[in-house]
Amino acid sequence: VVSKATSTNDLNVDFVSNLDSRSYAAESPDEVFPVRGFTLLSSTTDTDGDPIKEETGYIVSVLTVSKDEILSSNSLTEDNRVFTLTQNNLVSNYTIQFDGGAGSLVIDNDGTLYMGHYNIVDHLIGREEEVFPVYQIGETGAVSEYITNLPLMTGSAIDSKGNLYHSLLFKEEILKIENNSTTRIGTGNRFLTSPDGLYLDSEDNLFVVTQNIDHLLKIDQNGEVEIIARIPESPRGITGDHNGNIYISHNHKNGIITKVTKEGEVSVLAQIPTFKPESYVLDYLMWVGYISFFEGSLYVAGMSTDIIYKVNLDGSVENFVGSGLRGIPRGDARTARLNRPIGLAFSKDGKKLFISVSADIEPRHTQSTTPAQIIEVSLLE
């Protein structure tokens, strides 16, 4: 039941039990908790019988109805936090599905998205000599191949001049794409084993994490590699804030997010939830995707839970997009069903979040990221 914060009604079990049916919504616990929420009908009224509307402060209460009043009585639980009704962020398909592997996303100043092909199957089989494209996704959602014939790619970044960077998983180097020509960075350095997440700071300094060596690395303009810090295992995504701190998502079942200060001090900032089905007999390798810093908070792709998490800089974690179930992604942020989200990119105007996902909506029997699809989240004020 929903009450105005200023309502003078005495909210108790007897009062709520006698409300008109339009003033409450009934549901069994089994239907509520899998998605940790419940959507009221638009015709639902508050406990005064008035329509629920924006800009009014409300308090929510739950009446628990006993199945056997001899054994237990009904009870009322009230949440004293006042909330106001707002519009939810909306989720829709930005592209149709295409024959690629969903990977790290970057966006340029013109709103064009780029994504290098990545797929865990190609990774595990060791397709070192097979070639793949970098995909270009225009503002209309049209997908084309920007650069072709490249090795398997993981992390990506874009510098202030619009040059693209991609980690080459099997080649132990970073690819730079400038004016449609490519150069290799860090070639032959023993610390660049299986490079993954990339981050460019405001001065275009390039930071890298690798899947096999637990170090945060910095590569200068001459291609020289410097060790910045020793970090926990399985780093994947990397981003940074405006104060020189760097944050790393770890593709591990513990779901940790690491913070590295500009002085090189390392700490665990937060942990996001992870999930493995009980009946899944194979090794689970796709726990956490990439990470992005946006307007003072971190956003992390939970691949195993099908949820995008918002991580505040105090370490608190909240669900941002995704219900935790798989299926068709369109809808609102709390009920949309994502499918193995991995890459994140915010539009330059801050009004859109783009997420790379798998278009395969079968139950949790696979970790593959093909076929690929980009979905769009409209960030409503």
Side-chain angles (χ1 to χ4, degrees):
V1 296
V2 179
S3 305
K4 295 186 190 73
T6 57
S7 177
T8 58
N9 285 321
D10 182 17
L11 208 63
N12 55 54
V13 171
D14 289 338
F15 176 81
V16 173
S17 298
N18 289 294
L19 282 173
D20 183 274
S21 60
R22 292 174 299 174
S23 295
Y24 65 83
E27 192 58 89
S28 67
D30 291 342
E31 295 298 324
V32 175
F33 290 111
V35 295
R36 300 197 178 279
F38 179 71
T39 303
L40 298 175
L41 296 175
S42 60
S43 58
T44 305
T45 65
D46 64 25
T47 54
D48 293 332
D50 299 322
I52 299 171
K53 57 185 180 181
E54 295 182 26
E55 300 181 358
T56 299
Y58 293 101
I59 292 174
V60 172
S61 302
V62 175
L63 177 69
T64 303
V65 180
S66 173
K67 290 183 177 181
D68 189 337
E69 294 187 12
I70 296 177
L71 296 177
S72 60
S73 58
N74 297 345
S75 62
L76 185 70
T77 303
E78 183 175 323
D79 187 338
N80 291 320
R81 293 172 296 179
V82 177
F83 79 94
T84 55
L85 189 66
T86 60
Q87 295 187 74
N88 204 348
N89 298 323
L90 301 179
V91 179
S92 60
N93 296 328
Y94 189 63
T95 71
I96 62 173
Q97 70 179 54
F98 55 97
D99 292 329
S104 176
L105 278 179
V106 290
I107 191 167
D108 67 16
N109 290 327
D110 297 325
T112 301
L113 288 162
Y114 299 89
M115 183 185 76
H117 174 100
Y118 177 76
N119 184 24
I120 186 64
V121 176
D122 299 320
H123 182 168
L124 293 177
I125 292 176
R127 292 175 174 162
E128 297 186 26
E129 304 306 320
E130 194 162 343
V131 293
F132 307 93
V134 172
Y135 298 98
Q136 183 182 64
I137 302 100
E139 287 191 281
T140 62
V143 180
S144 60
E145 294 184 358
Y146 179 60
I147 299 286
T148 58
N149 301 322
L150 296 175
L152 193 65
M153 288 160 277
T154 44
S156 62
I158 189 166
D159 66 19
S160 60
K161 298 177 181 178
N163 301 314
L164 292 176
Y165 297 78
H166 287 277
S167 293
L168 301 181
L169 180 66
F170 293 130
K171 300 300 180 182
E172 301 183 356
E173 57 193 2
I174 310 302
L175 180 77
K176 180 180 181 181
I177 304 173
E178 183 176 7
N179 296 325
N180 292 328
S181 63
T182 61
T183 56
R184 307 291 179 98
I185 300 172
T187 304
N189 190 286
R190 64 188 181 91
F191 291 107
L192 276 180
T193 303
S194 302
D196 200 336
L198 299 177
Y199 167 65
L200 284 151
D201 66 12
S202 59
E203 299 178 355
D204 284 341
N205 295 308
L206 181 62
F207 295 86
V208 187
V209 292
T210 71
Q211 295 182 4
N212 294 341
I213 298 179
D214 303 329
H215 290 94
L216 171 63
L217 307 174
K218 179 181 178 181
I219 304 179
D220 65 21
Q221 298 298 319
N222 298 317
E224 296 297 320
V225 179
E226 176 187 357
I227 298 174
I228 300 299
R230 181 74 181 267
I231 56 177
E233 63 181 315
S234 305
R236 165 163 273 164
I238 177 172
T239 190
D241 63 21
H242 305 305
N243 297 318
N245 300 308
I246 288 175
Y247 304 91
I248 300 162
S249 60
H250 294 259
N251 183 33
H252 192 276
K253 63 182 178 181
N254 61 20
I256 64 169
I257 308 301
T258 297
K259 176 182 179 180
V260 182
T261 67
K262 58 184 178 182
E263 293 80 23
E265 298 176 354
V266 180
S267 61
V268 174
L269 174 69
Q271 284 184 278
I272 67 168
T274 59
F275 172 79
K276 178 183 177 181
E278 293 183 4
S279 59
Y280 198 87
V281 297
L282 302 177
D283 287 341
Y284 212 89
L285 304 172
M286 302 292 277
W287 299 98
V288 179
Y290 293 97
I291 184 170
S292 182
F293 178 80
F294 176 69
E295 293 188 346
S297 297
L298 300 166
Y299 296 83
V300 187
M303 295 195 70
S304 66
T305 56
D306 304 307
I307 291 174
I308 305 300
Y309 296 98
K310 179 180 179 181
V311 179
N312 300 304
L313 297 188
D314 63 2
S316 59
V317 177
E318 56 188 280
N319 291 12
F320 187 66
V321 180
S323 64
L325 302 174
R326 290 187 174 171
I328 299 173
R330 68 177 63 89
D332 62 67
R334 298 298 185 184
T335 61
R337 299 187 174 196
L338 307 186
N339 303 303
R340 298 182 284 281
I342 183 169
L344 307 171
F346 286 90
S347 63
K348 299 304 179 182
D349 62 8
K351 295 181 179 180
K352 304 283 186 182
L353 167 62
F354 299 97
I355 308 170
S356 58
V357 301
S358 171
D360 174 16
I361 61 172
E362 292 298 318
R364 300 174 186 270
H365 70 282
T366 175
Q367 301 177 68
S368 174
T369 55
T370 59
Q373 189 171 19
I374 309 299
I375 65 172
E376 171 189 322
V377 183
S378 297
L379 305 176
L380 304 177
E381 296 180 357

